[in-house]
Short mmCIF file of all heavy atoms in Angstrom, two decimals:
data_model
loop_
_atom_site.label_atom_id
_atom_site.label_comp_id
_atom_site.label_asym_id
_atom_site.label_seq_id
_atom_site.Cartn_x
_atom_site.Cartn_y
_atom_site.Cartn_z
N TYR A 1 -8.88 2.07 -8.26
CA TYR A 1 -7.72 2.89 -8.62
C TYR A 1 -7.52 2.85 -10.14
O TYR A 1 -7.35 1.77 -10.73
CB TYR A 1 -6.48 2.34 -7.92
CG TYR A 1 -5.19 3.07 -8.23
CD1 TYR A 1 -5.02 4.40 -7.88
CD2 TYR A 1 -4.13 2.39 -8.84
CE1 TYR A 1 -3.83 5.06 -8.15
CE2 TYR A 1 -2.94 3.04 -9.11
CZ TYR A 1 -2.79 4.37 -8.77
OH TYR A 1 -1.61 5.02 -9.04
N GLN A 2 -7.58 4.00 -10.78
CA GLN A 2 -7.40 4.09 -12.23
C GLN A 2 -6.01 4.63 -12.55
O GLN A 2 -5.59 5.65 -11.98
CB GLN A 2 -8.48 4.98 -12.84
CG GLN A 2 -9.88 4.41 -12.71
CD GLN A 2 -10.92 5.24 -13.42
OE1 GLN A 2 -10.77 6.45 -13.58
NE2 GLN A 2 -12.00 4.60 -13.86
N PHE A 3 -5.33 3.97 -13.47
CA PHE A 3 -3.97 4.37 -13.79
C PHE A 3 -3.55 3.76 -15.12
O PHE A 3 -4.16 2.80 -15.61
CB PHE A 3 -3.01 3.90 -12.69
CG PHE A 3 -2.79 2.40 -12.67
CD1 PHE A 3 -1.57 1.85 -13.05
CD2 PHE A 3 -3.81 1.53 -12.28
CE1 PHE A 3 -1.38 0.48 -13.03
CE2 PHE A 3 -3.61 0.16 -12.24
CZ PHE A 3 -2.40 -0.37 -12.62
N SER A 4 -2.50 4.33 -15.70
CA SER A 4 -1.83 3.74 -16.86
C SER A 4 -0.55 3.08 -16.36
O SER A 4 0.28 3.76 -15.73
CB SER A 4 -1.48 4.81 -17.90
OG SER A 4 -2.65 5.39 -18.44
N PRO A 5 -0.38 1.80 -16.59
CA PRO A 5 0.82 1.11 -16.08
C PRO A 5 2.09 1.75 -16.61
O PRO A 5 2.18 2.13 -17.78
CB PRO A 5 0.65 -0.31 -16.60
CG PRO A 5 -0.81 -0.46 -16.84
CD PRO A 5 -1.29 0.87 -17.30
N LYS A 6 3.10 1.83 -15.75
CA LYS A 6 4.40 2.36 -16.13
C LYS A 6 5.48 1.39 -15.66
O LYS A 6 6.24 1.68 -14.73
CB LYS A 6 4.62 3.76 -15.52
CG LYS A 6 3.69 4.83 -16.09
CD LYS A 6 3.94 6.18 -15.47
CE LYS A 6 3.16 7.29 -16.19
NZ LYS A 6 1.72 7.03 -16.24
N PRO A 7 5.55 0.24 -16.30
CA PRO A 7 6.46 -0.81 -15.84
C PRO A 7 7.93 -0.52 -16.08
O PRO A 7 8.79 -1.24 -15.55
CB PRO A 7 6.01 -2.04 -16.64
CG PRO A 7 5.38 -1.47 -17.87
CD PRO A 7 4.73 -0.20 -17.45
N ASN A 8 8.23 0.51 -16.86
CA ASN A 8 9.64 0.84 -17.13
C ASN A 8 10.07 2.16 -16.52
O ASN A 8 11.19 2.63 -16.76
CB ASN A 8 9.88 0.88 -18.65
CG ASN A 8 9.66 -0.46 -19.31
OD1 ASN A 8 10.05 -1.50 -18.77
ND2 ASN A 8 9.02 -0.46 -20.47
N THR A 9 9.20 2.77 -15.73
CA THR A 9 9.50 4.08 -15.15
C THR A 9 9.80 3.95 -13.67
O THR A 9 8.94 3.48 -12.90
CB THR A 9 8.30 5.03 -15.34
OG1 THR A 9 7.99 5.12 -16.73
CG2 THR A 9 8.63 6.41 -14.80
N PRO A 10 10.99 4.36 -13.22
CA PRO A 10 11.30 4.31 -11.77
C PRO A 10 10.29 5.13 -10.98
O PRO A 10 9.80 6.16 -11.44
CB PRO A 10 12.70 4.91 -11.69
CG PRO A 10 13.30 4.68 -13.05
CD PRO A 10 12.15 4.82 -14.01
N PHE A 11 9.98 4.65 -9.79
CA PHE A 11 9.01 5.33 -8.94
C PHE A 11 9.75 6.24 -7.96
O PHE A 11 10.67 5.80 -7.27
CB PHE A 11 8.17 4.29 -8.16
CG PHE A 11 7.04 4.89 -7.39
CD1 PHE A 11 5.81 5.10 -7.99
CD2 PHE A 11 7.21 5.26 -6.06
CE1 PHE A 11 4.76 5.65 -7.28
CE2 PHE A 11 6.17 5.82 -5.35
CZ PHE A 11 4.94 6.01 -5.96
N VAL A 12 9.35 7.50 -7.91
CA VAL A 12 9.98 8.46 -7.02
C VAL A 12 9.07 8.69 -5.82
O VAL A 12 7.90 9.07 -5.97
CB VAL A 12 10.26 9.79 -7.74
CG1 VAL A 12 10.89 10.79 -6.77
CG2 VAL A 12 11.18 9.56 -8.94
N MET A 13 9.59 8.45 -4.61
CA MET A 13 8.84 8.67 -3.39
C MET A 13 9.70 9.47 -2.43
O MET A 13 10.80 9.03 -2.07
CB MET A 13 8.42 7.33 -2.76
CG MET A 13 7.52 7.50 -1.54
SD MET A 13 6.78 5.95 -0.98
CE MET A 13 8.25 5.08 -0.44
N ASP A 14 9.20 10.63 -2.05
CA ASP A 14 9.98 11.58 -1.26
C ASP A 14 11.26 11.90 -2.04
O ASP A 14 11.19 12.39 -3.15
CB ASP A 14 10.26 11.02 0.13
CG ASP A 14 8.98 10.78 0.92
OD1 ASP A 14 8.02 11.54 0.71
OD2 ASP A 14 8.93 9.83 1.73
N GLU A 15 12.41 11.58 -1.49
CA GLU A 15 13.66 11.85 -2.20
C GLU A 15 14.31 10.57 -2.72
O GLU A 15 15.44 10.60 -3.21
CB GLU A 15 14.64 12.58 -1.26
CG GLU A 15 14.15 13.96 -0.83
CD GLU A 15 15.14 14.65 0.08
OE1 GLU A 15 16.17 14.03 0.42
OE2 GLU A 15 14.90 15.82 0.45
N ASP A 16 13.57 9.48 -2.65
CA ASP A 16 14.12 8.19 -3.09
C ASP A 16 13.59 7.83 -4.47
O ASP A 16 12.41 8.05 -4.78
CB ASP A 16 13.74 7.08 -2.10
CG ASP A 16 14.38 7.29 -0.74
OD1 ASP A 16 15.50 7.84 -0.71
OD2 ASP A 16 13.78 6.89 0.27
N THR A 17 14.47 7.26 -5.29
CA THR A 17 14.07 6.73 -6.59
C THR A 17 14.08 5.21 -6.49
O THR A 17 15.12 4.59 -6.27
CB THR A 17 15.03 7.19 -7.70
OG1 THR A 17 15.02 8.62 -7.77
CG2 THR A 17 14.62 6.62 -9.05
N LEU A 18 12.91 4.62 -6.65
CA LEU A 18 12.74 3.18 -6.45
C LEU A 18 12.52 2.48 -7.80
O LEU A 18 12.31 3.11 -8.83
CB LEU A 18 11.54 2.91 -5.53
CG LEU A 18 11.56 3.64 -4.19
CD1 LEU A 18 10.26 3.37 -3.43
CD2 LEU A 18 12.76 3.21 -3.36
N THR A 19 12.60 1.17 -7.76
CA THR A 19 12.29 0.38 -8.94
C THR A 19 10.85 0.64 -9.37
O THR A 19 10.03 1.07 -8.55
CB THR A 19 12.49 -1.12 -8.62
OG1 THR A 19 12.42 -1.89 -9.82
CG2 THR A 19 11.45 -1.62 -7.64
N PRO A 20 10.47 0.40 -10.64
CA PRO A 20 9.09 0.65 -11.07
C PRO A 20 8.08 -0.10 -10.21
O PRO A 20 8.19 -1.32 -10.00
CB PRO A 20 9.08 0.16 -12.51
CG PRO A 20 10.48 0.33 -12.99
CD PRO A 20 11.33 0.01 -11.79
N LEU A 21 7.09 0.63 -9.69
CA LEU A 21 6.07 0.03 -8.83
C LEU A 21 4.84 0.92 -8.81
O LEU A 21 4.85 2.04 -9.33
CB LEU A 21 6.61 -0.19 -7.40
CG LEU A 21 7.21 1.00 -6.64
CD1 LEU A 21 6.13 1.85 -5.96
CD2 LEU A 21 8.18 0.52 -5.57
N ILE A 22 3.77 0.40 -8.21
CA ILE A 22 2.58 1.22 -7.98
C ILE A 22 2.25 1.19 -6.50
O ILE A 22 2.55 0.21 -5.80
CB ILE A 22 1.36 0.76 -8.81
CG1 ILE A 22 0.93 -0.65 -8.39
CG2 ILE A 22 1.64 0.83 -10.29
CD1 ILE A 22 -0.41 -1.05 -8.96
N ARG A 23 1.64 2.28 -6.02
CA ARG A 23 1.17 2.38 -4.64
C ARG A 23 -0.32 2.73 -4.68
O ARG A 23 -0.70 3.72 -5.32
CB ARG A 23 1.96 3.44 -3.86
CG ARG A 23 3.36 2.98 -3.48
CD ARG A 23 4.18 4.11 -2.85
NE ARG A 23 3.55 4.67 -1.67
CZ ARG A 23 3.68 4.17 -0.42
NH1 ARG A 23 4.41 3.08 -0.23
NH2 ARG A 23 3.11 4.76 0.61
N VAL A 24 -1.11 1.92 -4.01
CA VAL A 24 -2.57 2.08 -4.03
C VAL A 24 -3.06 2.22 -2.59
O VAL A 24 -2.82 1.34 -1.76
CB VAL A 24 -3.25 0.86 -4.70
CG1 VAL A 24 -4.75 1.09 -4.80
CG2 VAL A 24 -2.65 0.61 -6.09
N ARG A 25 -3.77 3.31 -2.30
CA ARG A 25 -4.33 3.52 -0.96
C ARG A 25 -5.60 2.67 -0.81
O ARG A 25 -6.51 2.76 -1.64
CB ARG A 25 -4.63 4.99 -0.73
CG ARG A 25 -3.37 5.86 -0.62
CD ARG A 25 -3.72 7.33 -0.57
NE ARG A 25 -4.54 7.67 0.61
CZ ARG A 25 -4.03 8.08 1.77
NH1 ARG A 25 -2.71 8.21 1.91
NH2 ARG A 25 -4.82 8.39 2.79
N LEU A 26 -5.63 1.87 0.24
CA LEU A 26 -6.76 0.98 0.50
C LEU A 26 -7.63 1.46 1.65
O LEU A 26 -8.44 0.70 2.19
CB LEU A 26 -6.25 -0.43 0.82
CG LEU A 26 -5.35 -1.10 -0.23
CD1 LEU A 26 -4.98 -2.51 0.21
CD2 LEU A 26 -6.01 -1.13 -1.60
N SER A 27 -7.48 2.71 2.03
CA SER A 27 -8.24 3.25 3.16
C SER A 27 -9.08 4.46 2.81
O SER A 27 -9.83 4.96 3.65
CB SER A 27 -7.28 3.62 4.30
OG SER A 27 -6.22 4.44 3.83
N ASP A 28 -9.00 4.94 1.57
CA ASP A 28 -9.74 6.14 1.21
C ASP A 28 -11.24 5.85 1.05
O ASP A 28 -12.08 6.66 1.46
CB ASP A 28 -9.20 6.75 -0.09
CG ASP A 28 -7.83 7.40 0.10
OD1 ASP A 28 -7.41 7.51 1.28
OD2 ASP A 28 -7.20 7.77 -0.90
N ILE A 29 -11.56 4.74 0.43
CA ILE A 29 -12.97 4.39 0.22
C ILE A 29 -13.62 3.93 1.52
O ILE A 29 -14.75 4.30 1.84
CB ILE A 29 -13.09 3.31 -0.87
CG1 ILE A 29 -12.65 3.89 -2.22
CG2 ILE A 29 -14.52 2.79 -0.97
CD1 ILE A 29 -12.61 2.88 -3.34
N SER A 30 -12.89 3.10 2.25
CA SER A 30 -13.40 2.58 3.53
C SER A 30 -12.23 2.25 4.43
O SER A 30 -11.23 1.68 3.98
CB SER A 30 -14.24 1.32 3.29
OG SER A 30 -14.53 0.67 4.51
N PRO A 31 -12.35 2.56 5.75
CA PRO A 31 -11.27 2.21 6.68
C PRO A 31 -11.40 0.78 7.21
O PRO A 31 -10.60 0.36 8.05
CB PRO A 31 -11.49 3.23 7.81
CG PRO A 31 -12.97 3.44 7.84
CD PRO A 31 -13.41 3.36 6.39
N GLU A 32 -12.39 0.05 6.72
CA GLU A 32 -12.71 -1.27 7.27
C GLU A 32 -11.52 -2.22 7.27
O GLU A 32 -11.25 -2.91 8.27
CB GLU A 32 -13.87 -1.87 6.48
CG GLU A 32 -14.26 -3.27 6.89
CD GLU A 32 -15.32 -3.86 5.97
OE1 GLU A 32 -15.89 -3.11 5.16
OE2 GLU A 32 -15.55 -5.07 6.06
N LEU A 33 -10.79 -2.28 6.16
CA LEU A 33 -9.68 -3.22 6.06
C LEU A 33 -8.56 -2.85 7.01
O LEU A 33 -8.01 -3.71 7.72
CB LEU A 33 -9.17 -3.26 4.61
CG LEU A 33 -8.26 -4.42 4.22
CD1 LEU A 33 -9.01 -5.74 4.35
CD2 LEU A 33 -7.76 -4.25 2.79
N GLY A 34 -8.20 -1.57 7.04
CA GLY A 34 -7.16 -1.12 7.95
C GLY A 34 -7.53 -1.33 9.40
O GLY A 34 -6.71 -1.75 10.23
N ASN A 35 -8.79 -1.07 9.74
CA ASN A 35 -9.23 -1.25 11.12
C ASN A 35 -9.22 -2.72 11.52
O ASN A 35 -8.96 -3.04 12.69
CB ASN A 35 -10.63 -0.66 11.29
CG ASN A 35 -10.63 0.86 11.32
OD1 ASN A 35 -9.61 1.48 11.64
ND2 ASN A 35 -11.76 1.46 10.99
N LYS A 36 -9.51 -3.60 10.58
CA LYS A 36 -9.45 -5.02 10.90
C LYS A 36 -8.02 -5.42 11.25
O LYS A 36 -7.79 -6.20 12.19
CB LYS A 36 -9.97 -5.86 9.75
CG LYS A 36 -9.88 -7.36 10.03
CD LYS A 36 -10.57 -8.20 8.98
CE LYS A 36 -10.48 -9.67 9.36
NZ LYS A 36 -11.24 -10.56 8.43
N LEU A 37 -7.05 -4.92 10.51
CA LEU A 37 -5.66 -5.25 10.80
C LEU A 37 -5.25 -4.69 12.17
O LEU A 37 -4.55 -5.35 12.95
CB LEU A 37 -4.74 -4.71 9.71
CG LEU A 37 -4.91 -5.36 8.33
CD1 LEU A 37 -4.08 -4.63 7.29
CD2 LEU A 37 -4.53 -6.83 8.37
N LEU A 38 -5.67 -3.48 12.48
CA LEU A 38 -5.32 -2.88 13.77
C LEU A 38 -6.02 -3.59 14.93
O LEU A 38 -5.56 -3.52 16.07
CB LEU A 38 -5.70 -1.40 13.78
CG LEU A 38 -4.83 -0.46 12.93
CD1 LEU A 38 -5.37 0.96 13.00
CD2 LEU A 38 -3.38 -0.50 13.37
N ALA A 39 -7.13 -4.26 14.64
CA ALA A 39 -7.88 -4.95 15.70
C ALA A 39 -7.32 -6.33 16.01
O ALA A 39 -7.82 -7.01 16.91
CB ALA A 39 -9.35 -5.07 15.30
N ALA A 40 -6.28 -6.76 15.30
CA ALA A 40 -5.68 -8.06 15.56
C ALA A 40 -5.13 -8.12 16.99
O ALA A 40 -4.46 -7.19 17.45
CB ALA A 40 -4.56 -8.33 14.56
N THR A 41 -5.43 -9.21 17.68
CA THR A 41 -4.98 -9.36 19.07
C THR A 41 -3.53 -9.83 19.10
O THR A 41 -2.93 -10.17 18.07
CB THR A 41 -5.85 -10.38 19.80
OG1 THR A 41 -5.66 -11.68 19.20
CG2 THR A 41 -7.33 -10.00 19.70
N LYS A 42 -2.98 -9.88 20.32
CA LYS A 42 -1.61 -10.40 20.48
C LYS A 42 -1.52 -11.84 20.00
O LYS A 42 -0.51 -12.25 19.41
CB LYS A 42 -1.17 -10.28 21.93
CG LYS A 42 -0.90 -8.85 22.38
CD LYS A 42 -0.38 -8.81 23.81
CE LYS A 42 -0.09 -7.37 24.24
NZ LYS A 42 0.44 -7.31 25.64
N ASP A 43 -2.57 -12.61 20.25
CA ASP A 43 -2.58 -14.00 19.77
C ASP A 43 -2.59 -14.04 18.24
O ASP A 43 -1.90 -14.86 17.63
CB ASP A 43 -3.80 -14.74 20.31
CG ASP A 43 -3.68 -15.06 21.79
OD1 ASP A 43 -2.54 -15.03 22.31
OD2 ASP A 43 -4.72 -15.33 22.43
N ASP A 44 -3.37 -13.16 17.61
CA ASP A 44 -3.42 -13.11 16.14
C ASP A 44 -2.07 -12.72 15.55
O ASP A 44 -1.72 -13.14 14.44
CB ASP A 44 -4.46 -12.10 15.68
CG ASP A 44 -5.88 -12.50 16.08
OD1 ASP A 44 -6.16 -13.70 16.16
OD2 ASP A 44 -6.70 -11.57 16.32
N LEU A 45 -1.31 -11.94 16.30
CA LEU A 45 -0.01 -11.44 15.81
C LEU A 45 1.16 -12.26 16.36
O LEU A 45 2.32 -11.89 16.18
CB LEU A 45 0.17 -9.97 16.21
CG LEU A 45 -0.88 -9.00 15.68
CD1 LEU A 45 -0.68 -7.61 16.28
CD2 LEU A 45 -0.84 -8.93 14.16
N SER A 46 0.88 -13.38 17.00
CA SER A 46 1.93 -14.17 17.64
C SER A 46 2.79 -14.95 16.64
O SER A 46 3.93 -15.28 16.93
CB SER A 46 1.32 -15.14 18.66
OG SER A 46 0.46 -16.08 18.00
N SER A 47 2.24 -15.25 15.48
CA SER A 47 2.98 -15.99 14.45
C SER A 47 2.30 -15.75 13.11
O SER A 47 1.15 -15.29 13.04
CB SER A 47 3.00 -17.49 14.76
OG SER A 47 1.69 -18.04 14.63
N ASN A 48 3.01 -16.09 12.03
CA ASN A 48 2.42 -15.92 10.70
C ASN A 48 1.23 -16.83 10.49
O ASN A 48 0.24 -16.42 9.88
CB ASN A 48 3.48 -16.18 9.62
CG ASN A 48 4.40 -14.99 9.43
OD1 ASN A 48 3.94 -13.88 9.24
ND2 ASN A 48 5.69 -15.22 9.51
#
């Protein structure tokens, strides 16, 4: 993800104005990470 940091600029998402932040999509290059999270079993999700 290439970007110029904007640490003093509020982030606008939909109709909400949020504190300065960045949002990075982790599924565009590969769905592997997202699919691993979705593959977690009930036991894996039973506690932190």
